[in-house]
Structures are given as C-alpha cells and as structure tokens.
Amino acid sequence: MSLTQITEQMTERLGAGGQFKKSVKFDFGADGLVRIDDTVSPVVVSNEDGPTACSIKVSMADFMDIATGKQNAQMAFMMGKLKIEGDMSVALSLGSILG
C-alpha cells in the first residue's frame, strides 16, 4: 500500500472528524508521513509535517502488518519496531482510526 492510499483510507475513516479529537503523526522515515489533526474542524489528514501531540515512528511495512492484524502493536513497540514520542494516551486510542 502506498502513502497516498494510507492517507486516503485514514481520511475516509475520520470522515468529518470529531470522533478522535487528537493529533498524531505517523512517521514512515524515507517513505513519508501522515499527519492527522482532529483538534480542528474540519479534520486535517495530510502528508505535510506539523506539530502533533504524538508522533509514531514505524516502517511502512510494520505499519501495514499492524493495521492488517498480522502484527500486534504492543509487541512491535516492545521489539523496538514502533517508537512513540509525546502523549502515549494518543497512541493507545488509535484503534478508532486504524480499524
């Protein structure tokens, strides 16, 4: 799945916004990033960098494995495949947008 496809899927899942009410950035390193800001209206889902409450650094391959259920997010975190900076509670509430 490409960065564009991931961005489009997250945009669809968030819809008009207001459910997540947080900001998070998925940093895929050289593959780019997806920033979600549901603290504003309308919700912003983009590939532009900006401030967020939480930043999650993960490879795109590991992100896809987590999103599709092939890999457990907590195990990926413990194995160092997923790094969280900032507000950990934001990372813990991501189930609502990852499916």
Side-chain angles (χ1 to χ4, degrees):
M1 185 175 278
S2 71
L3 182 65
T4 302
Q5 291 170 314
I6 292 170
T7 305
E8 288 171 357
Q9 253 188 11
M10 289 189 182
T11 301
E12 288 173 18
R13 288 187 180 169
L14 285 162
Q19 306 293 322
F20 184 54
K21 297 191 185 294
K22 296 172 176 53
S23 63
V24 65
K25 173 175 36 179
F26 294 93
D27 183 347
F28 302 120
D31 290 323
L33 64 88
V34 176
R35 183 175 63 92
I36 299 168
D37 189 350
D38 195 15
T39 64
V40 297
S41 183
V43 64
V44 174
V45 180
S46 75
N47 301 115
E48 301 296 320
D49 201 359
T52 57
C54 180
S55 179
I56 298 175
K57 294 183 179 187
V58 62
S59 73
M60 193 172 288
D62 286 327
F63 173 83
M64 292 307 304
D65 285 348
I66 293 166
T68 59
K70 291 181 185 173
Q71 184 170 204
N72 179 284
Q74 286 90 2
M75 288 301 295
F77 178 76
M78 286 195 227
M79 293 169 36
K81 293 182 176 185
L82 183 146
K83 294 179 173 55
I84 300 170
E85 297 175 357
D87 188 346
M88 181 73 80
S89 70
V90 174
L92 294 173
S93 64
L94 288 172
S96 64
I97 60 172
L98 291 179

